Amino acid sequence: MDVDPLALAALSAAVAAVTAVAAGYLARVRMPRPPVGVYTGGDIAVLCVGVVVAPLLYTALPGAAVSAVFGLVLCLAVQFTLAPLLAATRLRAAPWSWATALAGTAATALAALTGHPGAARAGSDLLIAVAVVGVANLWTQSGLRSTHAAALAAALTCYDLVATTLTDTTGRFFEQVRDRPFAPMLALTGGPHPVAVGLGDLLLLVLFPLVAAKAYGRAAAWCAALTGLLVTSAVSACFALGLLSTGFPLLTALGPLIVVQHLFRRRRADGERTTAQWREGRPLPPPAASGAARQPA
């Protein structure tokens, strides 16, 4: 399989850019707290079940219906991402965020319907990038902890391995959404073998550095972001060298590294900062004392 090395390099750059934008958003924009309270282990379990069941449901729908569902979800995600950002300006946040989200969604759909796949792909990528920035910030600012992020990564790693390697679930889903607008992937090229990263992979690549920053500070965030970038670049290099030729479940490499980072930080610190403590600018948790009781995760 011939893969453009420049496209592979651009994919790593795109992942780094989305992560940097999400970090800047976290530092400057306060999202309204949703009325569901803070995250618990039960919430993570429900989320994992949804991730597993959703592709099975989507493969039973026509491709056009799947595109419509993802288009609606992206439109809503872009709207709630832009609303807090525009609230800091003199513009009326709600009308302008809705107008921008609807315009971006409509322009992407129109490009696809009029036979401009490159424009449709670019529009989808932009919507996905904005949505990932918003969702990662919403989860982080709503109280998702490093423990929860690591548990989510571990569960999705197992699912990704089964769905991609041991069964054809991911392959069938990819064939259904390939080259359609709003496909759940950040794709720089089209065709049967696109240079792309899946939506779930991208979300965890962006999410964990934000959670690490809140829980353990800037050094932990930089380590998480660089680890994700190195994993993405290493997989891209394997494709460029011909060592990989089919879709690779990125989370099988990224997920364990997220868990290892969490366990390392957890052993070094006596607990992790909550969202309230992070907002107040509380100092990082002190080093864990040998044999001391630790704050529950």
Side-chain angles (χ1 to χ4, degrees), residues 18-82:
V18 176
T19 305
V21 171
Y25 190 105
L26 178 68
R28 295 172 176 80
V29 180
R30 180 165 183 165
M31 301 191 82
R33 182 174 176 176
V36 295
V38 298
Y39 281 90
T40 64
D43 297 321
I44 302 304
V46 170
L47 179 61
C48 291
V49 170
V51 169
V52 171
V53 172
L56 301 177
L57 296 177
Y58 289 142
T59 51
L61 296 174
V66 175
S67 292
V69 170
F70 277 116
L72 176 61
V73 170
L74 286 178
C75 182
L76 293 173
V78 169
Q79 188 276 328
F80 76 65
T81 302
L82 294 179

Side-chain angles (χ1 to χ4, degrees), residues 269-282:
D270 189 16
E272 61 180 91
R273 288 186 299 189
T274 64
T275 301
Q277 292 170 340
W278 166 71
R279 290 195 190 283
E280 294 170 0
R282 296 269 189 96

Side-chain angles (χ1 to χ4, degrees), residues 53-190:
V53 172
L56 301 177
L57 296 177
Y58 289 142
T59 51
L61 296 174
V66 175
S67 292
V69 170
F70 277 116
L72 176 61
V73 170
L74 286 178
C75 182
L76 293 173
V78 169
Q79 188 276 328
F80 76 65
T81 302
L82 294 179
L85 189 63
L86 295 175
T89 70
R90 295 184 179 181
L91 298 174
R92 296 178 61 189
W96 280 102
S97 61
W98 274 114
T100 303
L102 289 170
T105 306
T108 301
L110 182 62
L113 292 173
T114 55
H116 295 84
R121 186 164 56 249
S124 297
D125 286 348
L126 181 59
L127 293 174
I128 285 173
V130 174
V132 165
V133 168
V135 172
N137 269 277
L138 179 66
W139 289 1
T140 301
Q141 297 189 35
S142 297
L144 187 76
R145 306 187 68 178
S146 178
T147 301
H148 299 142
L152 178 62
L156 294 186
T157 296
C158 297
Y159 168 73
D160 205 16
L161 181 62
V162 172
T164 303
T165 305
L166 303 181
T167 69
D168 64 346
T169 301
T170 300
R172 289 188 292 114
F173 180 64
F174 169 75
E175 287 298 323
Q176 187 181 29
V177 302
R178 178 168 59 88
D179 291 333
R180 288 187 173 273
F182 315 118
M185 63 182 75
L186 187 72
L188 299 191
T189 63

Side-chain angles (χ1 to χ4, degrees), residues 12 228-241 243-244 250 253:
S12 296
L229 183 59
L230 286 174
V231 169
T232 305
S233 299
V235 172
S236 294
C238 288
F239 275 104
L241 295 172
L243 301 177
L244 291 174
L250 184 66

